[in-house]
């Protein structure tokens, strides 16, 4: 079946540190891949997406590359800020539904 | 351009009562999706609707839950005879006229069953 596995949190980093949140997926074919972010008390916002192999999605300094060989879509940012503290969800789309990972809570310390 | 609207944002119900959650999609969007987020979990797909049609309800519990998206007005997710296990955040998303289009999420309704 289709599933998404992402690293468990919480992840705690100091401001300006490098961030990686690992995400791997299982799916038939080549689904579109997404990272969503959820700030405290809010809904999900689309952070970035990639629709085919080797595509790189990027937004607000975050990047993720669709790796077909390793079925991965790891999220990276070179220098995190306190305002990046949130829960990050990796997801794939299969037909009409989005399948989410369990989320990774990120804490950035000043 | 207003985003996806959901109301109420918070809803408290006692066991056995009914909960009605409303979702107004983004302007120009005709596809609506409902997801449920249990505490410390990711979102789980419940149902996909277009105007006056349920397209995919494979994620809906078999009993007590129903959804509609009438020709006029918002989409409604209805939970009858709520139980404590229904406590969760319920998110609505909408997209344009193609399944390939991005789903945009509303702020969610947080349901607490006492």
């Amino acid at each position: 079946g289709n599933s998404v596995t992402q690293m468990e949190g919480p992840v705690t980093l100091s401001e300006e540190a490098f961030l990686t949140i690992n995400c791997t997926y299982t799916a038939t074919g080549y689904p579109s891949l997404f990272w969503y972010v959820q700030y405290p008390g809010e809904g999900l916002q689309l952070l970035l997406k990639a629709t085919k192999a080797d595509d790189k999605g990027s937004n607000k300094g975050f990047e993720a590359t669709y790796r077909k060989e390793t079925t991965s879509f790891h999220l990276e940012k070179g220098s995190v800020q306190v305002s990046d503290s949130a829960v990050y969800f990796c997801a794939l789309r299969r037909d009409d539904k989005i399948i989410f990972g369990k989320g990774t809570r990120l804490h950035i310390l000043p | 351009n207003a985003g996806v609207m959901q109301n109420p944002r918070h809803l408290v119900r006692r066991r056995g009562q009914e909960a009605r959650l409303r979702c107004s999609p983004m302007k120009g969007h005709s596809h609506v999706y409902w997801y449920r987020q249990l505490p410390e979990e990711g979102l789980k797909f419940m149902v996909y609707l277009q105007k006056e049609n349920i397209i995919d309800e494979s994620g809906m519990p078999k009993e007590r839950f129903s959804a509609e998206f009438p020709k006029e007005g918002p989409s409604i997710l209805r939970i009858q005879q709520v139980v404590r296990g229904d406590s969760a955040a319920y998110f609505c998303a909408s997209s344009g006229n193609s399944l390939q289009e991005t789903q945009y999420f509303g702020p969610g309704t947080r349901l607490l069953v006492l």
Side-chain angles (χ1 to χ4, degrees), chain A:
Chain A
N2 301 303
S3 66
V4 175
T5 303
Q6 58 183 108
M7 63 189 291
E8 291 190 19
V11 172
T12 302
L13 296 172
S14 297
E15 203 166 23
E16 299 184 3
F18 184 87
L19 168 71
T20 300
I21 301 178
N22 290 336
C23 171
T24 57
Y25 66 91
T26 303
T28 53
Y30 304 108
S32 295
L33 301 175
F34 306 85
W35 278 99
Y36 282 86
V37 57
Q38 185 178 31
Y39 296 102
E42 298 185 12
L44 272 71
Q45 299 176 24
L46 177 64
L47 181 60
L48 54 85
K49 68 178 182 180
T51 57
K52 60 183 187 296
D54 300 325
D55 266 3
K56 177 187 282 188
S58 60
N59 185 26
K60 299 181 181 178
F62 290 90
E63 292 183 342
T65 300
Y66 191 142
R67 301 282 187 206
K68 184 179 63 173
E69 325 78 55
T70 54
T71 61
S72 64
F73 194 54
H74 305 320
L75 183 68
E76 296 182 336
K77 186 174 185 181
S79 176
V80 292
Q81 307 299 314
V82 172
S83 58
D84 293 327
S85 297
V87 181
Y88 292 80
F89 292 94
C90 185
L92 66 84
R93 182 169 60 206
R94 172 54 65 201
D95 299 323
D96 55 336
K97 58 181 71 71
I98 294 181
I99 297 165
F100 289 88
K102 291 191 173 183
T104 302
R105 187 174 298 277
L106 176 64
H107 294 293
I108 306 299
L109 304 175

Side-chain angles (χ1 to χ4, degrees), chain A residues 32 34 36 38 41-44 46 49 89 93 95-103 105, chain B residues 9 33 35 37 40-43 45 48 56 58 91 99-103 105-107 110:
Chain A
S32 295
F34 306 85
Y36 282 86
Q38 185 178 31
E42 298 185 12
L44 272 71
L46 177 64
K49 68 178 182 180
F89 292 94
R93 182 169 60 206
D95 299 323
D96 55 336
K97 58 181 71 71
I98 294 181
I99 297 165
F100 289 88
K102 291 191 173 183
R105 187 174 298 277
Chain B
R9 294 291 304 274
Y33 314 79
Y35 293 81
Q37 183 181 32
E40 303 302 318
E41 294 280 331
L43 280 71
F45 170 82
Y48 160 44
D56 180 353
S58 58
F91 289 95
L99 284 177
Q100 301 308 312
E101 294 195 30
T102 298
Q103 293 184 20
F105 284 78
R110 283 155 179 81

Side-chain angles (χ1 to χ4, degrees), chain B residues 18-52:
Chain B
E18 178 179 285
R20 282 188 178 232
L21 289 61
R22 286 176 289 277
C23 168
S24 296
M26 286 179 70
K27 186 176 180 180
H29 283 186
S30 58
H31 299 214
V32 166
Y33 314 79
W34 286 94
Y35 293 81
R36 176 166 63 176
Q37 183 181 32
L38 295 171
E40 303 302 318
E41 294 280 331
L43 280 71
K44 295 286 197 297
F45 170 82
M46 299 180 76
V47 62
Y48 160 44
L49 309 104
Q50 296 180 22
K51 286 282 187 183
E52 300 183 281

